[in-house]
Amino acid sequence: QVQLVESGGGSVQAGGSLRLSCAASGDTYSRYCMAWFRQAPGKERERVAVINTNIGRTYYADSVKGRFTMSQHNAKDTLYLQMNSLKPEDSAMYYCAADRQRAWSCNSPLYEYNYRGQGTQVTVSS
């Protein structure tokens, strides 16, 4: 199974940028759909962005569309989340997650994304 390790979180002022990284190991990266989730205290987990690692197609939550960009470095089995124009409401623990690809789109709600990293905290101050 895949193991995931995130890095790159921190504190930033509103309007600033951060880039999160997620290093995958332990299994063939291209077998997986990959996603970034976030969860703030007292709120439900939100799927922020998803990527089909084979074709590079990405999907974004409406709350981050146009501000966040998900990308990957296949040779390094590494996932990135570039976050620009950050807002205080973006403050949360961000998790990298994976699920084995199946016949349907990686953005399908049928994926549970049960393989997760330990998370990295993002704090945006106003």
Side-chain angles (χ1 to χ4, degrees):
Q1 69 184 45
V2 67
Q3 288 88 46
L4 305 169
V5 179
E6 304 96 335
S7 60
S11 297
V12 65
Q13 288 193 328
S17 299
L18 284 172
R19 189 175 84 153
L20 307 183
S21 299
C22 172
S25 62
D27 200 351
T28 304
Y29 177 77
S30 59
R31 291 178 178 172
Y32 291 85
C33 294
M34 301 293 293
W36 286 99
F37 286 82
R38 66 185 181 186
Q39 188 165 21
K43 294 188 177 181
E44 291 189 358
R45 187 177 76 152
E46 179 184 15
R47 188 188 293 185
V48 172
V50 172
I51 191 167
N52 179 317
T53 57
N54 286 310
I55 61 176
R57 181 169 182 176
T58 53
Y59 309 84
Y60 298 95
D62 288 342
S63 57
V64 306
K65 203 171 291 183
R67 300 187 299 121
F68 289 13
T69 303
M70 187 177 190
S71 61
Q72 60 183 357
H73 191 309
N74 284 6
K76 295 183 179 180
D77 291 353
T78 302
L79 197 65
Y80 303 100
L81 185 67
Q82 178 67 43
M83 305 185 294
N84 298 329
S85 302
L86 283 162
K87 305 175 182 180
E89 51 264 43
D90 293 319
S91 297
M93 185 70 78
Y94 283 72
Y95 298 90
C96 173
D99 202 345
R100 291 290 295 268
Q101 286 196 31
R102 280 155 281 174
W104 44 90
S105 165
C106 289
N107 199 40
S108 168
L110 295 176
Y111 287 102
E112 296 182 349
Y113 287 100
N114 285 332
Y115 299 111
R116 302 180 202 172
Q118 82 287 352
T120 184
Q121 179 69 39
V122 171
T123 303
V124 184
S125 57
S126 57

